[in-house]
Amino acid sequence: ASANTTVTNLGTARTFPTLTIKGPTVGTARIYQITNYTTGRTIYLNLIINAGETATLVLQPDSLSFVSDFQGDIMGKVLPGSNIADFFLQPGANTIGFFSASDTVTATLFYRPAYASLDDVP
């Protein structure tokens, strides 16, 4: 089963996050997917990550990238059927699931709140 958490986008518009995955404490682990259950978007992966490795998936539609500090460009590890160009956080609460083969892999989602108009900016 995936580990699920709630990520709250404090903005008033969609925002496109960056996912940072840190490898297991020992050995290797397979990374299967990240899902935003709130929006129905999923990114399917076929990634083997090593202990001490960090992989960064940038989900900005105009600058998509998936890079590992061990393996270089790993965009080819994203499987067909993924919502890679349309994975976003909607305003408010988003339920996010992350599925890997090791409980020592960590995934961190970074984002900048976006606003629909200047009137919405706090």
Side-chain angles (χ1 to χ4, degrees):
S2 66
N4 297 330
T5 192
T6 300
V7 175
T8 302
N9 173 7
L10 301 175
T12 59
R14 292 178 175 182
T15 188
F16 298 90
T18 295
L19 175 69
T20 301
I21 305 168
K22 295 198 181 250
T25 53
V26 296
T28 61
R30 180 163 180 213
I31 310 301
Y32 293 95
Q33 70 186 47
I34 181 169
T35 301
N36 185 334
Y37 292 106
T38 304
T39 63
R41 294 339 195 249
T42 299
I43 299 171
Y44 302 100
L45 302 169
N46 183 21
L47 173 63
I48 304 297
I49 194 166
N50 299 289
E53 182 176 2
T54 300
T56 304
L57 177 59
V58 176
L59 294 164
Q60 285 291 336
D62 59 349
S63 60
L64 290 172
S65 67
F66 196 17
V67 178
S68 160
D69 60 353
F70 284 19
Q71 303 176 55
D73 181 2
I74 53 175
M75 189 59 91
K77 303 296 183 178
V78 177
L79 296 175
S82 296
N83 301 108
I84 189 79
D86 194 30
F87 191 94
F88 61 89
L89 299 176
Q90 73 177 15
N94 293 259
T95 302
I96 305 295
F98 180 77
F99 185 30
S100 80
S102 170
D103 61 358
T104 63
V105 170
T106 61
T108 307
L109 211 57
F110 299 95
Y111 72 96
R112 178 181 300 176
Y115 298 94
S117 76
L118 286 176
D119 294 333
D120 297 338
V121 177

